[in-house]
Amino acid sequence: MPIAAHLRRLLLAPLAGVALSQAAQAHPHVWVTAKAEVAYEGGRVAGIRHSWSFDAAYSAYVTQGLDTNGDGKLSPEELQGLATENTTNLAEFAYFTKLKVAGREQAFADPREARMSMEGDRLTLSFLLPLKAPTAQGRGVAALEVYDPTYFVSFSLAEGADAVRLPGAAAGCTTTVTRPKTVEPAVAEAGKSMTEAMFEALTSASNYGEQFANRAIVACP
């Protein structure tokens, strides 16, 4: 059950007791609390390590039937197939991730180290998103954005100092995090509300969700 390519179809069904009419009217449909690490290797930016925790309703829905041994718990082994499928299908949406280093947008290689865990009632997906070619940041700036261009999934960077970490970065590097000022879709025109049909027509190229992007600026001396 991928969270990108098939997400719209999946969430038209009731979610853990949420009525279909409510799910169809609301936007976004999935809420994610995100953490990220800008991974450095040998002084170069090498990739982004993501950790995404999904809301309880989606977590319950997407994990139905995965407790194969019937012990009432979901192990990382039982969740591995879902983790692998999710990260593979996220390629359609560029992994909801945009990274610029020294003003140049970076290209990502295939994700690695995909894992899932169930913590309480929330499912967490973690994976490494490597760059196709590690790049030197030097004294430049690295700018990370995390968002869904269709705004079907709402991303919020976690609170606290560990929202975006810099393992392996040079001494003195600092991070400034900016979260979206609003969490509801803007009104296109005065007196005209956004309809579900409008959202259904959005594609990754529409980039409507950019206005709700979470941003982290990494500056190194």
Side-chain angles (χ1 to χ4, degrees):
M1 294 184 181
I3 56 176
H6 299 158
L7 187 57
R8 297 171 185 268
R9 175 180 60 80
L10 285 173
L11 295 178
L12 290 178
L15 286 178
V18 179
L20 176 61
S21 59
Q22 292 175 313
Q25 293 171 5
H27 218 94
H29 292 276
V30 179
W31 289 262
V32 174
T33 300
K35 293 182 180 180
E37 292 183 354
V38 181
Y40 290 81
E41 294 180 0
R44 293 174 176 264
V45 180
I48 304 295
R49 188 176 295 277
H50 283 299
S51 177
W52 296 345
S53 293
F54 300 93
D55 65 88
Y58 180 76
S59 297
Y61 181 78
V62 78
T63 56
Q64 292 179 81
L66 296 185
D67 181 15
T68 54
N69 63 7
D71 66 352
K73 301 176 182 178
L74 288 167
S75 68
E77 291 74 21
E78 289 171 322
L79 293 168
Q80 188 56 52
L82 181 62
T84 301
E85 186 178 12
N86 279 342
T87 51
T88 299
N89 282 280
L90 285 169
E92 179 184 349
F93 287 82
Y95 306 98
F96 300 139
T97 305
K98 183 182 292 186
L99 178 67
K100 290 184 178 181
V101 179
R104 295 184 178 181
E105 187 165 349
Q106 303 299 304
F108 297 111
D110 293 337
R112 303 200 306 259
E113 302 174 24
R115 300 287 187 273
M116 271 186 166
S117 62
M118 200 72 176
E119 301 168 7
D121 60 357
R122 294 180 182 271
L123 184 68
T124 297
L125 168 68
S126 60
F127 62 99
L128 173 64
L129 191 57
L131 299 186
K132 285 188 175 180
T135 185
Q137 181 177 342
R139 295 185 178 181
V141 169
L144 171 66
E145 295 183 342
V146 181
Y147 67 97
D148 174 10
T150 69
Y151 200 53
F152 216 77
V153 180
S154 174
F155 285 90
S156 297
L157 280 173
E159 299 294 333
D162 63 343
V164 180
R165 298 177 63 248
L166 308 175
C173 292
T174 60
T175 306
T176 302
V177 173
T178 302
R179 295 173 174 83
K181 294 181 179 180
T182 60
V183 295
E184 296 297 331
V187 176
E189 300 173 7
K192 181 179 179 181
S193 62
M194 296 298 214
T195 66
E196 187 67 15
M198 186 215 79
F199 284 109
E200 288 292 336
L202 292 177
T203 67
S204 58
S206 304
N207 220 25
Y208 173 82
E210 186 175 16
Q211 63 188 302
F212 308 107
N214 295 263
R215 296 179 174 89
I217 303 297
V218 179
C220 294

PDB file of all heavy atoms in Angstrom, residues 139-164:
ATOM      1  N   ARG A 139      31.584  26.964   2.165  1.00  0.00           N
ATOM      2  CA  ARG A 139      30.969  28.027   2.960  1.00  0.00           C
ATOM      3  C   ARG A 139      29.595  28.405   2.428  1.00  0.00           C
ATOM      4  O   ARG A 139      29.024  29.406   2.860  1.00  0.00           O
ATOM      5  CB  ARG A 139      31.892  29.253   2.984  1.00  0.00           C
ATOM      6  CG  ARG A 139      33.213  29.000   3.705  1.00  0.00           C
ATOM      7  CD  ARG A 139      34.038  30.268   3.808  1.00  0.00           C
ATOM      8  NE  ARG A 139      35.275  30.036   4.538  1.00  0.00           N
ATOM      9  CZ  ARG A 139      36.181  30.973   4.787  1.00  0.00           C
ATOM     10  NH1 ARG A 139      35.977  32.226   4.334  1.00  0.00           N
ATOM     11  NH2 ARG A 139      37.277  30.680   5.460  1.00  0.00           N
ATOM     12  N   GLY A 140      29.104  27.625   1.495  1.00  0.00           N
ATOM     13  CA  GLY A 140      27.776  27.904   0.945  1.00  0.00           C
ATOM     14  C   GLY A 140      26.669  27.422   1.868  1.00  0.00           C
ATOM     15  O   GLY A 140      26.899  26.998   2.994  1.00  0.00           O
ATOM     16  N   VAL A 141      25.469  27.480   1.358  1.00  0.00           N
ATOM     17  CA  VAL A 141      24.271  27.141   2.124  1.00  0.00           C
ATOM     18  C   VAL A 141      23.618  25.902   1.535  1.00  0.00           C
ATOM     19  O   VAL A 141      23.563  25.744   0.311  1.00  0.00           O
ATOM     20  CB  VAL A 141      23.271  28.323   2.112  1.00  0.00           C
ATOM     21  CG1 VAL A 141      21.912  27.910   2.654  1.00  0.00           C
ATOM     22  CG2 VAL A 141      23.829  29.491   2.920  1.00  0.00           C
ATOM     23  N   ALA A 142      23.145  25.026   2.391  1.00  0.00           N
ATOM     24  CA  ALA A 142      22.316  23.907   1.955  1.00  0.00           C
ATOM     25  C   ALA A 142      20.887  24.199   2.372  1.00  0.00           C
ATOM     26  O   ALA A 142      20.631  24.550   3.533  1.00  0.00           O
ATOM     27  CB  ALA A 142      22.803  22.602   2.577  1.00  0.00           C
ATOM     28  N   ALA A 143      19.961  24.087   1.434  1.00  0.00           N
ATOM     29  CA  ALA A 143      18.551  24.401   1.698  1.00  0.00           C
ATOM     30  C   ALA A 143      17.706  23.159   1.453  1.00  0.00           C
ATOM     31  O   ALA A 143      17.662  22.636   0.342  1.00  0.00           O
ATOM     32  CB  ALA A 143      18.085  25.544   0.799  1.00  0.00           C
ATOM     33  N   LEU A 144      17.032  22.696   2.499  1.00  0.00           N
ATOM     34  CA  LEU A 144      16.201  21.499   2.442  1.00  0.00           C
ATOM     35  C   LEU A 144      14.736  21.879   2.561  1.00  0.00           C
ATOM     36  O   LEU A 144      14.360  22.675   3.436  1.00  0.00           O
ATOM     37  CB  LEU A 144      16.584  20.549   3.583  1.00  0.00           C
ATOM     38  CG  LEU A 144      15.678  19.337   3.824  1.00  0.00           C
ATOM     39  CD1 LEU A 144      15.735  18.376   2.646  1.00  0.00           C
ATOM     40  CD2 LEU A 144      16.051  18.636   5.115  1.00  0.00           C
ATOM     41  N   GLU A 145      13.892  21.328   1.672  1.00  0.00           N
ATOM     42  CA  GLU A 145      12.450  21.512   1.745  1.00  0.00           C
ATOM     43  C   GLU A 145      11.775  20.140   1.764  1.00  0.00           C
ATOM     44  O   GLU A 145      12.180  19.251   1.025  1.00  0.00           O
ATOM     45  CB  GLU A 145      11.928  22.322   0.553  1.00  0.00           C
ATOM     46  CG  GLU A 145      12.418  23.754   0.507  1.00  0.00           C
ATOM     47  CD  GLU A 145      11.814  24.543  -0.641  1.00  0.00           C
ATOM     48  OE1 GLU A 145      11.289  23.910  -1.585  1.00  0.00           O
ATOM     49  OE2 GLU A 145      11.863  25.769  -0.604  1.00  0.00           O
ATOM     50  N   VAL A 146      10.762  20.006   2.609  1.00  0.00           N
ATOM     51  CA  VAL A 146       9.988  18.771   2.693  1.00  0.00           C
ATOM     52  C   VAL A 146       8.515  19.131   2.568  1.00  0.00           C
ATOM     53  O   VAL A 146       7.976  19.861   3.408  1.00  0.00           O
ATOM     54  CB  VAL A 146      10.250  18.037   4.022  1.00  0.00           C
ATOM     55  CG1 VAL A 146       9.457  16.733   4.071  1.00  0.00           C
ATOM     56  CG2 VAL A 146      11.733  17.757   4.212  1.00  0.00           C
ATOM     57  N   TYR A 147       7.860  18.636   1.518  1.00  0.00           N
ATOM     58  CA  TYR A 147       6.434  18.910   1.325  1.00  0.00           C
ATOM     59  C   TYR A 147       5.883  18.032   0.208  1.00  0.00           C
ATOM     60  O   TYR A 147       6.629  17.494  -0.610  1.00  0.00           O
ATOM     61  CB  TYR A 147       6.191  20.379   0.984  1.00  0.00           C
ATOM     62  CG  TYR A 147       6.732  20.834  -0.356  1.00  0.00           C
ATOM     63  CD1 TYR A 147       5.908  20.900  -1.482  1.00  0.00           C
ATOM     64  CD2 TYR A 147       8.068  21.208  -0.506  1.00  0.00           C
ATOM     65  CE1 TYR A 147       6.395  21.318  -2.710  1.00  0.00           C
ATOM     66  CE2 TYR A 147       8.562  21.623  -1.728  1.00  0.00           C
ATOM     67  CZ  TYR A 147       7.726  21.677  -2.819  1.00  0.00           C
ATOM     68  OH  TYR A 147       8.219  22.087  -4.036  1.00  0.00           O
ATOM     69  N   ASP A 148       4.563  17.886   0.193  1.00  0.00           N
ATOM     70  CA  ASP A 148       3.858  17.172  -0.869  1.00  0.00           C
ATOM     71  C   ASP A 148       3.330  18.199  -1.856  1.00  0.00           C
ATOM     72  O   ASP A 148       2.518  19.057  -1.482  1.00  0.00           O
ATOM     73  CB  ASP A 148       2.697  16.364  -0.279  1.00  0.00           C
ATOM     74  CG  ASP A 148       1.826  15.703  -1.334  1.00  0.00           C
ATOM     75  OD1 ASP A 148       2.198  15.703  -2.527  1.00  0.00           O
ATOM     76  OD2 ASP A 148       0.762  15.170  -0.967  1.00  0.00           O
ATOM     77  N   PRO A 149       3.745  18.176  -3.118  1.00  0.00           N
ATOM     78  CA  PRO A 149       3.288  19.180  -4.082  1.00  0.00           C
ATOM     79  C   PRO A 149       1.786  19.190  -4.297  1.00  0.00           C
ATOM     80  O   PRO A 149       1.220  20.207  -4.689  1.00  0.00           O
ATOM     81  CB  PRO A 149       4.039  18.812  -5.372  1.00  0.00           C
ATOM     82  CG  PRO A 149       4.499  17.414  -5.182  1.00  0.00           C
ATOM     83  CD  PRO A 149       4.716  17.235  -3.716  1.00  0.00           C
ATOM     84  N   THR A 150       1.114  18.065  -4.034  1.00  0.00           N
ATOM     85  CA  THR A 150      -0.343  18.013  -4.198  1.00  0.00           C
ATOM     86  C   THR A 150      -1.083  18.311  -2.900  1.00  0.00           C
ATOM     87  O   THR A 150      -2.305  18.367  -2.899  1.00  0.00           O
ATOM     88  CB  THR A 150      -0.790  16.623  -4.686  1.00  0.00           C
ATOM     89  OG1 THR A 150      -0.590  15.664  -3.641  1.00  0.00           O
ATOM     90  CG2 THR A 150      -0.022  16.199  -5.929  1.00  0.00           C
ATOM     91  N   TYR A 151      -0.367  18.476  -1.806  1.00  0.00           N
ATOM     92  CA  TYR A 151      -0.926  18.732  -0.480  1.00  0.00           C
ATOM     93  C   TYR A 151      -1.894  17.645  -0.030  1.00  0.00           C
ATOM     94  O   TYR A 151      -2.786  17.874   0.750  1.00  0.00           O
ATOM     95  CB  TYR A 151      -1.602  20.106  -0.399  1.00  0.00           C
ATOM     96  CG  TYR A 151      -1.762  20.605   1.024  1.00  0.00           C
ATOM     97  CD1 TYR A 151      -0.665  20.670   1.877  1.00  0.00           C
ATOM     98  CD2 TYR A 151      -3.000  20.997   1.495  1.00  0.00           C
ATOM     99  CE1 TYR A 151      -0.810  21.119   3.177  1.00  0.00           C
ATOM    100  CE2 TYR A 151      -3.157  21.452   2.800  1.00  0.00           C
ATOM    101  CZ  TYR A 151      -2.049  21.504   3.642  1.00  0.00           C
ATOM    102  OH  TYR A 151      -2.199  21.937   4.935  1.00  0.00           O
ATOM    103  N   PHE A 152      -1.700  16.441  -0.542  1.00  0.00           N
ATOM    104  CA  PHE A 152      -2.484  15.311  -0.062  1.00  0.00           C
ATOM    105  C   PHE A 152      -1.951  14.858   1.282  1.00  0.00           C
ATOM    106  O   PHE A 152      -2.681  14.356   2.132  1.00  0.00           O
ATOM    107  CB  PHE A 152      -2.414  14.164  -1.073  1.00  0.00           C
ATOM    108  CG  PHE A 152      -3.691  13.398  -1.198  1.00  0.00           C
ATOM    109  CD1 PHE A 152      -4.772  13.907  -1.906  1.00  0.00           C
ATOM    110  CD2 PHE A 152      -3.828  12.151  -0.611  1.00  0.00           C
ATOM    111  CE1 PHE A 152      -5.958  13.189  -2.014  1.00  0.00           C
ATOM    112  CE2 PHE A 152      -5.002  11.427  -0.715  1.00  0.00           C
ATOM    113  CZ  PHE A 152      -6.067  11.951  -1.416  1.00  0.00           C
ATOM    114  N   VAL A 153      -0.644  15.010   1.471  1.00  0.00           N
ATOM    115  CA  VAL A 153       0.013  14.692   2.732  1.00  0.00           C
ATOM    116  C   VAL A 153       0.528  15.995   3.338  1.00  0.00           C
ATOM    117  O   VAL A 153       1.168  16.787   2.663  1.00  0.00           O
ATOM    118  CB  VAL A 153       1.201  13.727   2.523  1.00  0.00           C
ATOM    119  CG1 VAL A 153       1.869  13.397   3.850  1.00  0.00           C
ATOM    120  CG2 VAL A 153       0.742  12.461   1.819  1.00  0.00           C
ATOM    121  N   SER A 154       0.219  16.210   4.611  1.00  0.00           N
ATOM    122  CA  SER A 154       0.692  17.396   5.314  1.00  0.00           C
ATOM    123  C   SER A 154       1.922  17.030   6.141  1.00  0.00           C
ATOM    124  O   SER A 154       1.843  16.173   7.029  1.00  0.00           O
ATOM    125  CB  SER A 154      -0.404  17.942   6.232  1.00  0.00           C
ATOM    126  OG  SER A 154       0.091  19.004   7.027  1.00  0.00           O
ATOM    127  N   PHE A 155       3.048  17.663   5.839  1.00  0.00           N
ATOM    128  CA  PHE A 155       4.279  17.438   6.582  1.00  0.00           C
ATOM    129  C   PHE A 155       4.502  18.568   7.577  1.00  0.00           C
ATOM    130  O   PHE A 155       4.317  19.750   7.243  1.00  0.00           O
ATOM    131  CB  PHE A 155       5.482  17.386   5.635  1.00  0.00           C
ATOM    132  CG  PHE A 155       5.590  16.113   4.851  1.00  0.00           C
ATOM    133  CD1 PHE A 155       4.971  15.989   3.617  1.00  0.00           C
ATOM    134  CD2 PHE A 155       6.306  15.035   5.351  1.00  0.00           C
ATOM    135  CE1 PHE A 155       5.070  14.812   2.886  1.00  0.00           C
ATOM    136  CE2 PHE A 155       6.411  13.857   4.632  1.00  0.00           C
ATOM    137  CZ  PHE A 155       5.787  13.743   3.396  1.00  0.00           C
ATOM    138  N   SER A 156       4.908  18.205   8.786  1.00  0.00           N
ATOM    139  CA  SER A 156       5.295  19.186   9.788  1.00  0.00           C
ATOM    140  C   SER A 156       6.602  18.729  10.413  1.00  0.00           C
ATOM    141  O   SER A 156       6.693  17.590  10.899  1.00  0.00           O
ATOM    142  CB  SER A 156       4.230  19.311  10.888  1.00  0.00           C
ATOM    143  OG  SER A 156       3.012  19.786  10.372  1.00  0.00           O
ATOM    144  N   LEU A 157       7.613  19.579  10.388  1.00  0.00           N
ATOM    145  CA  LEU A 157       8.854  19.236  11.060  1.00  0.00           C
ATOM    146  C   LEU A 157       8.619  19.172  12.565  1.00  0.00           C
ATOM    147  O   LEU A 157       7.892  20.000  13.132  1.00  0.00           O
ATOM    148  CB  LEU A 157       9.937  20.260  10.746  1.00  0.00           C
ATOM    149  CG  LEU A 157      10.639  20.100   9.402  1.00  0.00           C
ATOM    150  CD1 LEU A 157      11.556  21.282   9.144  1.00  0.00           C
ATOM    151  CD2 LEU A 157      11.435  18.797   9.347  1.00  0.00           C
ATOM    152  N   ALA A 158       9.209  18.185  13.193  1.00  0.00           N
ATOM    153  CA  ALA A 158       9.045  18.005  14.631  1.00  0.00           C
ATOM    154  C   ALA A 158       9.557  19.241  15.376  1.00  0.00           C
ATOM    155  O   ALA A 158      10.405  19.991  14.885  1.00  0.00           O
ATOM    156  CB  ALA A 158       9.807  16.768  15.089  1.00  0.00           C
ATOM    157  N   GLU A 159       9.013  19.440  16.568  1.00  0.00           N
ATOM    158  CA  GLU A 159       9.498  20.515  17.411  1.00  0.00           C
ATOM    159  C   GLU A 159      10.825  20.091  18.045  1.00  0.00           C
ATOM    160  O   GLU A 159      11.124  18.915  18.181  1.00  0.00           O
ATOM    161  CB  GLU A 159       8.469  20.842  18.490  1.00  0.00           C
ATOM    162  CG  GLU A 159       7.118  21.319  17.957  1.00  0.00           C
ATOM    163  CD  GLU A 159       7.202  22.647  17.244  1.00  0.00           C
ATOM    164  OE1 GLU A 159       8.123  23.439  17.568  1.00  0.00           O
ATOM    165  OE2 GLU A 159       6.359  22.913  16.367  1.00  0.00           O
ATOM    166  N   GLY A 160      11.600  21.063  18.462  1.00  0.00           N
ATOM    167  CA  GLY A 160      12.825  20.763  19.175  1.00  0.00           C
ATOM    168  C   GLY A 160      14.056  20.818  18.292  1.00  0.00           C
ATOM    169  O   GLY A 160      13.980  20.911  17.058  1.00  0.00           O
ATOM    170  N   ALA A 161      15.214  20.705  18.950  1.00  0.00           N
ATOM    171  CA  ALA A 161      16.490  20.885  18.270  1.00  0.00           C
ATOM    172  C   ALA A 161      16.828  19.742  17.336  1.00  0.00           C
ATOM    173  O   ALA A 161      17.694  19.889  16.466  1.00  0.00           O
ATOM    174  CB  ALA A 161      17.604  21.063  19.302  1.00  0.00           C
ATOM    175  N   ASP A 162      16.166  18.581  17.504  1.00  0.00           N
ATOM    176  CA  ASP A 162      16.511  17.433  16.658  1.00  0.00           C
ATOM    177  C   ASP A 162      15.629  17.312  15.424  1.00  0.00           C
ATOM    178  O   ASP A 162      15.644  16.292  14.752  1.00  0.00           O
ATOM    179  CB  ASP A 162      16.437  16.135  17.470  1.00  0.00           C
ATOM    180  CG  ASP A 162      15.037  15.831  17.974  1.00  0.00           C
ATOM    181  OD1 ASP A 162      14.192  16.757  17.977  1.00  0.00           O
ATOM    182  OD2 ASP A 162      14.784  14.687  18.370  1.00  0.00           O
ATOM    183  N   ALA A 163      14.874  18.360  15.095  1.00  0.00           N
ATOM    184  CA  ALA A 163      14.037  18.326  13.888  1.00  0.00           C
ATOM    185  C   ALA A 163      14.897  18.126  12.644  1.00  0.00           C
ATOM    186  O   ALA A 163      14.563  17.337  11.762  1.00  0.00           O
ATOM    187  CB  ALA A 163      13.225  19.608  13.762  1.00  0.00           C
ATOM    188  N   VAL A 164      16.010  18.822  12.569  1.00  0.00           N
ATOM    189  CA  VAL A 164      16.974  18.669  11.475  1.00  0.00           C
ATOM    190  C   VAL A 164      18.369  18.622  12.096  1.00  0.00           C
ATOM    191  O   VAL A 164      18.820  19.599  12.705  1.00  0.00           O
ATOM    192  CB  VAL A 164      16.887  19.824  10.456  1.00  0.00           C
ATOM    193  CG1 VAL A 164      17.909  19.625   9.340  1.00  0.00           C
ATOM    194  CG2 VAL A 164      15.486  19.914   9.862  1.00  0.00           C
TER     195      VAL A 164
END
